[in-house]
């Protein structure tokens, strides 16, 4: 897949759910409904910082965004684990 084709694929998404499905990342629809704007902003920010070269880099950017939003909800003063983050690598 060429860079141009991959970028066109990313540009064609009309919802974050489409991106999550494309990158084969499981998600909680209630979480998406509640944190959609923050997740989209963070994902787009990661895409701006580093243009993904392939599917794996795009998936990593989306997983990082999803996990960052999940972890931002945790109590900073406890050792609580990330819950509901089906893509979390930091368990």
């Amino acid at each position: 897949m060429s860079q141009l084709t991959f970028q066109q694929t990313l540009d064609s998404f009309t919802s974050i759910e489409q991106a999550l499905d494309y990158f084969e990342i499981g998600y909680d629809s209630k979480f998406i409904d509640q944190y959609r704007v923050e997740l989209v902003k963070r994902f787009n920010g990661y895409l701006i910082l580093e243009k993904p070269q392939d599917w794996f880099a795009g998936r990593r950017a989306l997983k990082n965004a999803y996990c960052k939003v999940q972890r931002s909800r945790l109590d900073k003063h406890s050792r609580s684990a990330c819950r509901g983050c089906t893509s979390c690598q930091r368990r």
Side-chain angles (χ1 to χ4, degrees), residues 14-15 19 21 25 30 32-33 35 38 41-43 45 48-49 51 54 59 65 68 77 81-82 87:
T14 58
S15 70
D21 290 338
I25 297 173
K30 288 184 224 171
I32 298 297
D33 290 342
Y35 296 99
E38 186 178 351
K41 284 182 181 180
R42 187 159 300 278
F43 178 49
I48 289 170
L49 287 173
K51 293 284 185 201
D54 57 11
R59 184 173 196 264
K68 180 74 172 177
H77 304 290
C82 192
S87 64

Side-chain angles (χ1 to χ4, degrees), residues 20 23-25 39 43 46 56-69 71 85-90:
L20 288 161
F23 290 117
E24 300 173 1
I25 297 173
L39 179 59
F43 178 49
Y46 285 148
F56 296 101
R59 184 173 196 264
R60 188 170 35 255
L62 184 54
K63 283 179 73 171
N64 287 341
Y66 191 90
C67 191
K68 180 74 172 177
V69 172
R71 286 183 292 125
C85 184
T86 57
S87 64
C88 189
Q89 304 272 328
R90 296 169 176 86

